[in-house]
Coordinates of all heavy atoms in Angstrom, one line a residue:
M1 N 69.3 -117.3 38.9 CA 69.3 -118.1 40.1 C 68.6 -119.4 39.8 O 68.8 -120.4 40.5 CB 68.7 -117.3 41.2 CG 69.7 -116.2 41.7 SD 69.3 -115.6 43.3 CE 68.4 -114.2 42.9
L28 N 77.1 -119.6 40.2 CA 77.0 -119.1 41.5 C 77.6 -117.7 41.6 O 77.0 -116.8 42.2 CB 77.9 -120.0 42.4 CG 78.0 -119.6 43.9 CD1 76.6 -119.7 44.5 CD2 78.9 -120.5 44.6
L29 N 78.7 -117.4 40.9 CA 79.2 -116.1 40.8 C 78.3 -115.1 40.1 O 78.0 -113.9 40.5 CB 80.5 -116.0 40.1 CG 81.7 -116.6 40.9 CD1 83.0 -116.7 40.0 CD2 82.0 -115.9 42.1
A30 N 77.6 -115.5 39.0 CA 76.6 -114.7 38.3 C 75.4 -114.3 39.2 O 75.0 -113.2 39.2 CB 76.1 -115.4 37.1
A31 N 74.9 -115.3 40.0 CA 73.9 -115.1 40.9 C 74.3 -114.1 42.0 O 73.5 -113.2 42.4 CB 73.4 -116.4 41.5
A32 N 75.5 -114.2 42.5 CA 76.0 -113.3 43.5 C 76.1 -111.9 43.0 O 75.6 -110.9 43.7 CB 77.3 -113.7 44.0
V33 N 76.5 -111.6 41.8 CA 76.5 -110.3 41.2 C 75.1 -109.8 41.0 O 74.8 -108.7 41.2 CB 77.3 -110.3 39.9 CG1 77.2 -109.0 39.1 CG2 78.8 -110.6 40.1
F34 N 74.2 -110.7 40.5 CA 72.8 -110.3 40.2 C 72.2 -109.8 41.5 O 71.5 -108.8 41.5 CB 72.1 -111.5 39.6 CG 70.7 -111.2 39.3 CD1 70.3 -110.3 38.2 CD2 69.6 -111.6 40.1 CE1 69.0 -110.1 38.0 CE2 68.3 -111.4 39.8 CZ 68.0 -110.6 38.7
V35 N 72.5 -110.5 42.6 CA 71.8 -110.1 43.9 C 72.4 -108.8 44.4 O 71.8 -108.1 45.1 CB 72.0 -111.2 45.0 CG1 71.7 -110.9 46.3 CG2 71.1 -112.5 44.5
S36 N 73.6 -108.6 44.1 CA 74.3 -107.4 44.7 C 74.1 -106.1 43.9 O 74.7 -105.1 44.2 CB 75.8 -107.6 44.9 OG 76.4 -107.7 43.6
V37 N 73.4 -106.2 42.8 CA 73.2 -105.0 41.9 C 72.2 -103.9 42.4 O 72.4 -102.8 42.1 CB 72.8 -105.5 40.5 CG1 72.4 -104.3 39.6 CG2 73.9 -106.2 39.9
P38 N 71.2 -104.2 43.3 CA 70.3 -103.1 43.7 C 71.1 -101.9 44.3 O 72.1 -102.1 45.0 CB 69.4 -103.8 44.8 CG 69.5 -105.3 44.4 CD 70.9 -105.5 43.8
P39 N 70.6 -100.7 44.0 CA 71.3 -99.5 44.5 C 71.5 -99.5 46.1 O 72.5 -99.0 46.5 CB 70.4 -98.4 44.1 CG 69.6 -98.9 42.9 CD 69.4 -100.4 43.2
A40 N 70.6 -100.1 46.8 CA 70.8 -100.1 48.3 C 72.0 -100.9 48.7 O 72.8 -100.5 49.6 CB 69.5 -100.6 48.9
V41 N 72.2 -102.0 48.0 CA 73.4 -102.8 48.3 C 74.7 -102.2 47.8 O 75.7 -102.2 48.5 CB 73.2 -104.2 47.6 CG1 74.5 -105.1 47.7 CG2 72.0 -105.0 48.1
I42 N 74.6 -101.5 46.7 CA 75.8 -100.8 46.2 C 76.2 -99.7 47.2 O 77.4 -99.6 47.6 CB 75.5 -100.1 44.8 CG1 75.4 -101.3 43.8 CG2 76.7 -99.2 44.5 CD1 75.0 -100.7 42.4
H43 N 75.2 -99.0 47.7 CA 75.5 -97.9 48.8 C 76.1 -98.6 50.0 O 77.0 -98.1 50.6 CB 74.2 -97.2 49.1 CG 74.4 -96.1 50.1 ND1 75.1 -95.1 50.0 CD2 73.9 -96.2 51.4 CE1 75.1 -94.4 51.1 NE2 74.4 -95.0 52.0
R44 N 75.5 -99.7 50.4 CA 75.9 -100.4 51.6 C 77.4 -100.8 51.5 O 78.2 -100.7 52.4 CB 75.0 -101.6 51.9 CG 75.2 -102.1 53.4 CD 74.1 -103.1 53.7 NE 72.8 -102.6 53.4 CZ 71.9 -103.3 52.7 NH1 72.2 -104.5 52.3 NH2 70.7 -102.9 52.5
V45 N 77.8 -101.4 50.4 CA 79.2 -101.9 50.1 C 80.1 -100.7 50.2 O 81.1 -100.7 50.9 CB 79.3 -102.6 48.8 CG1 80.7 -102.7 48.3 CG2 78.6 -103.9 48.8
N46 N 79.7 -99.6 49.5 CA 80.6 -98.4 49.6 C 80.7 -97.8 50.9 O 81.8 -97.4 51.4 CB 80.0 -97.3 48.6 CG 80.2 -97.7 47.2 OD1 81.0 -98.6 46.8 ND2 79.4 -97.2 46.3
L54 N 83.5 -98.4 45.3 CA 84.1 -99.7 45.2 C 83.2 -100.7 44.6 O 83.6 -101.6 43.9 CB 84.4 -100.2 46.6 CG 85.0 -101.6 46.8 CD1 86.4 -101.6 46.2 CD2 85.0 -102.1 48.1
A55 N 81.9 -100.6 44.7 CA 80.9 -101.5 44.2 C 80.9 -101.4 42.7 O 80.4 -102.3 42.0 CB 79.5 -101.2 44.8
A56 N 81.4 -100.3 42.1 CA 81.4 -100.2 40.6 C 82.2 -101.3 40.0 O 81.8 -101.9 39.0 CB 81.9 -98.8 40.2
A57 N 83.3 -101.7 40.6 CA 84.1 -102.8 40.0 C 83.4 -104.1 40.1 O 83.5 -105.0 39.3 CB 85.4 -102.9 40.8
W58 N 82.6 -104.3 41.2 CA 81.8 -105.5 41.4 C 80.7 -105.7 40.4 O 80.5 -106.8 39.8 CB 81.3 -105.6 42.8 CG 80.5 -106.8 43.1 CD1 79.1 -106.8 43.2 CD2 80.9 -108.1 43.2 NE1 78.7 -108.1 43.5 CE2 79.8 -108.9 43.5 CE3 82.2 -108.7 43.2 CZ2 79.8 -110.3 43.7 CZ3 82.3 -110.1 43.4 CH2 81.1 -110.8 43.6
V59 N 79.9 -104.6 40.1 CA 78.8 -104.8 39.2 C 79.1 -104.3 37.8 O 78.2 -104.4 37.0 CB 77.5 -104.0 39.8 CG1 77.1 -104.6 41.1 CG2 77.8 -102.5 39.9
G60 N 80.2 -103.8 37.6 CA 80.6 -103.5 36.2 C 80.1 -102.1 35.7 O 79.9 -101.9 34.5
R61 N 79.8 -101.2 36.7 CA 79.4 -99.9 36.4 C 80.4 -99.0 36.8 O 81.2 -99.2 37.6 CB 78.0 -99.6 37.1 CG 76.9 -100.4 36.7 CD 75.7 -100.0 37.5 NE 74.6 -100.9 37.3 CZ 73.5 -100.8 37.9 NH1 73.3 -99.9 38.8 NH2 72.5 -101.7 37.6

Side-chain angles (χ1 to χ4, degrees):
M1 288 199 261
L28 182 64
L29 289 173
V33 170
F34 181 73
V35 167
S36 69
V37 170
V41 174
I42 292 173
H43 176 70
R44 198 171 308 129
V45 167
N46 291 337
L54 178 71
W58 177 252
V59 297
R61 295 180 185 174

